[in-house]
């Protein structure tokens, strides 16, 4: 559970990292974060059934995928573009 809490805080900070360069993506991420926190609160209070747990798990996996795409767009994409630019005459 502690690893999940750490991920919740990291995922919540992701739009802050995206805000300057990729504002549209950051705005798309906000509803998913809100839903993930709502489902987390319901999960802690034991008010989720099996369908709610499935939705919670799906949101979690979706946010993990989104965070990886955001990290690629922010860090790997500019690095790869600069390397390609340097190799071409």
């Amino acid at each position: 559970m502690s690893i999940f809490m750490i991920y919740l805080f990291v995922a919540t900070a992701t739009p802050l990292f995206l805000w300057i360069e990729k504002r549209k993506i950051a705005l798309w991420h906000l509803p998913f974060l809100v839903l993930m926190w709502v489902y987390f609160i319901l999960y802690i209070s034991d008010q989720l059934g099996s369908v709610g747990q499935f939705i919670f798990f799906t949101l979690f996996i979706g946010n993990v995928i989104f965070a990886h795409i955001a990290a690629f767009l922010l860090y790997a994409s500019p690095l790869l573009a600069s390397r390609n630019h340097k190799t071409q005459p």
Side-chain angles (χ1 to χ4, degrees):
M1 188 62 150
S2 62
I3 293 173
F4 179 71
M5 283 299 298
I6 291 169
Y7 179 75
L8 276 173
F9 291 122
V10 169
T12 303
T14 301
L16 296 174
F17 298 123
L18 289 170
W19 192 254
I20 295 171
E21 297 175 3
K22 308 283 185 187
R23 193 169 290 190
K24 189 181 253 186
I25 295 173
L27 290 173
W28 275 96
H29 193 217
L30 291 176
F32 295 104
L33 287 175
V34 170
L35 287 173
M36 193 168 69
W37 277 102
V38 166
Y39 274 104
F40 174 70
I41 292 168
L42 291 174
Y43 179 77
I44 292 295
S45 66
D46 259 353
Q47 295 181 1
L48 282 179
S50 58
V51 173
Q53 288 181 1
F54 175 75
I55 292 170
F56 178 66
F57 182 72
T58 304
L59 281 171
F60 177 75
I61 296 299
N63 275 312
V64 168
I65 292 169
F66 187 86
H68 282 82
I69 290 170
F72 178 79
L73 288 174
L74 281 177
Y75 302 113
S77 179
L79 180 66
L80 292 173
S82 68
R83 283 187 180 175
N84 286 340
H85 183 65
K86 285 180 184 178
T87 60
Q88 294 176 353

